[in-house]
Amino acid sequence: MTFDPPSIAPRIDVLGVPVTRLSFEQLLLRLGKALQENGESGSRSDYYTYVNAHCATLAAREAPYRASVSQADVVYADGIGVVWAARLLGGPCPERINVGPSELGRVVDLCAQRGASVFLLGGAPGIADEVARRLVAQRPGLRVAGVHHGYFAPEEEAAVVEKINGSGAALLIVGLGPPKQELWVSQHLAALQVRATWCMGGLLDQVAGAVAYPPDWVRRNHVQWLYRLVVEPRRLWRRYLLGIPEFIGRVVHQRLRPERQT
Ligand code: UDP
């Protein structure tokens, strides 16, 4: 699909990941266009994902994940660390895009306005159902075409893709967490008959109320990582306490020796 400015914003290489320089409003514009136009000519699904310090470090280490993220049409900067790194390595990045419950609300409002249905994939059994129930309760105009949990075996993958395609959904929201979600999407992108696919990590857990969502002041002050560390220390200590220094070290290394990157 071709796309007019501002979506052709240049990208900045952060640890091998091409970070797209765009704002949330520009991303919504792109989604609106994809919902309207993709698929009409039997074309393709737009693919959006995000990168934060944890993802970028993972991408620097793992080539298959790096390749699957790089395949996305939009890789937005989900953490302030990536915004700063992008500035240091290439130029300004308009903003940090952190898709929380209110941003998800904007996304599904857009779907409701366009008559585009949504499929939710990810989380423990019951999570996507609860998210669908909550979203539809707030927006009677929204159609959730289907849901599926994120703990399926490799031999069930074809059936999951069939369920998504059979649902007629226009937007597929994938919450399998990195790197699984990007690896899964790039493996199945060609077979998916949706107009857009958007990776949203652990957001479904937060919208379902299974995991606490940080208050606004935490997001505003860019200490969401610290909040999440306090809420889920056993799962996340390694990611943040070891990952953040590694991210900084790798960014400084890229800045000093760009040709040696990854
Ligand atoms: N998850 C899943 N299937 C898996 C592994 C993880 O559905 O095989 C889900 C998990 O239940 C959680 C999310 O993926 O909802 C984890 O996302 P994470 O918090 O790691 O992503 P982030 O939002 O930090 O990028």
Side-chain angles (χ1 to χ4, degrees), residues 219-236:
R219 293 176 82 194
R220 267 199 317 277
N221 289 290
H222 306 299
V223 286
Q224 202 161 340
W225 65 273
L226 190 56
Y227 181 91
R228 291 190 70 185
L229 180 61
V230 172
V231 172
E232 297 182 88
R234 285 162 68 94
R235 186 170 80 91
L236 298 176

Side-chain angles (χ1 to χ4, degrees), residues 116-134:
S117 60
V118 178
F119 193 105
L120 304 170
L121 172 68
I127 292 289
D129 308 69
E130 178 59 17
V131 173
R133 202 188 58 70
R134 291 186 179 202

Side-chain angles (χ1 to χ4, degrees), residues 86-235:
R87 278 188 197 142
L88 189 71
L89 297 171
C93 196
E95 64 177 348
R96 168 194 188 205
I97 301 178
N98 182 245
V99 179
S102 68
E103 288 77 12
L104 176 64
R106 298 277 312 277
V107 169
V108 294
D109 279 344
L110 181 63
C111 291
Q113 282 160 20
R114 301 287 164 103
S117 60
V118 178
F119 193 105
L120 304 170
L121 172 68
I127 292 289
D129 308 69
E130 178 59 17
V131 173
R133 202 188 58 70
R134 291 186 179 202
L135 292 178
V136 171
Q138 291 156 1
R139 303 170 182 77
L142 175 68
R143 202 169 78 75
V144 176
V147 298
H148 199 286
H149 64 80
Y151 292 86
F152 43 86
E155 58 274 19
E156 294 172 291
E157 292 198 2
V160 172
V161 172
E162 219 169 283
K163 184 176 176 185
I164 295 164
N165 289 343
S167 76
L171 173 65
L172 169 63
I173 292 176
V174 183
L176 304 176
K180 189 172 179 180
Q181 57 194 8
E182 287 82 7
L183 294 170
W184 189 88
V185 170
S186 45
Q187 189 187 343
H188 297 289
L189 197 58
L192 286 168
Q193 292 162 9
V194 293
R195 295 181 179 210
T197 301
W198 193 328
C199 294
M200 293 195 182
L203 179 63
L204 298 181
D205 283 344
Q206 295 168 344
V207 176
V211 172
Y213 189 72
D216 257 0
W217 68 266
V218 170
R219 293 176 82 194
R220 267 199 317 277
N221 289 290
H222 306 299
V223 286
Q224 202 161 340
W225 65 273
L226 190 56
Y227 181 91
R228 291 190 70 185
L229 180 61
V230 172
V231 172
E232 297 182 88
R234 285 162 68 94
R235 186 170 80 91

Side-chain angles (χ1 to χ4, degrees), residues 19-39:
V19 178
T20 316
R21 297 160 74 173
L22 87 176
S23 64
F24 184 59
E25 296 305 322
Q26 289 170 331
L27 183 48
L28 285 182
L29 277 178
R30 175 156 188 150
L31 174 66
K33 203 166 158 72
L35 292 178
Q36 211 161 333
E37 294 178 2
N38 284 3

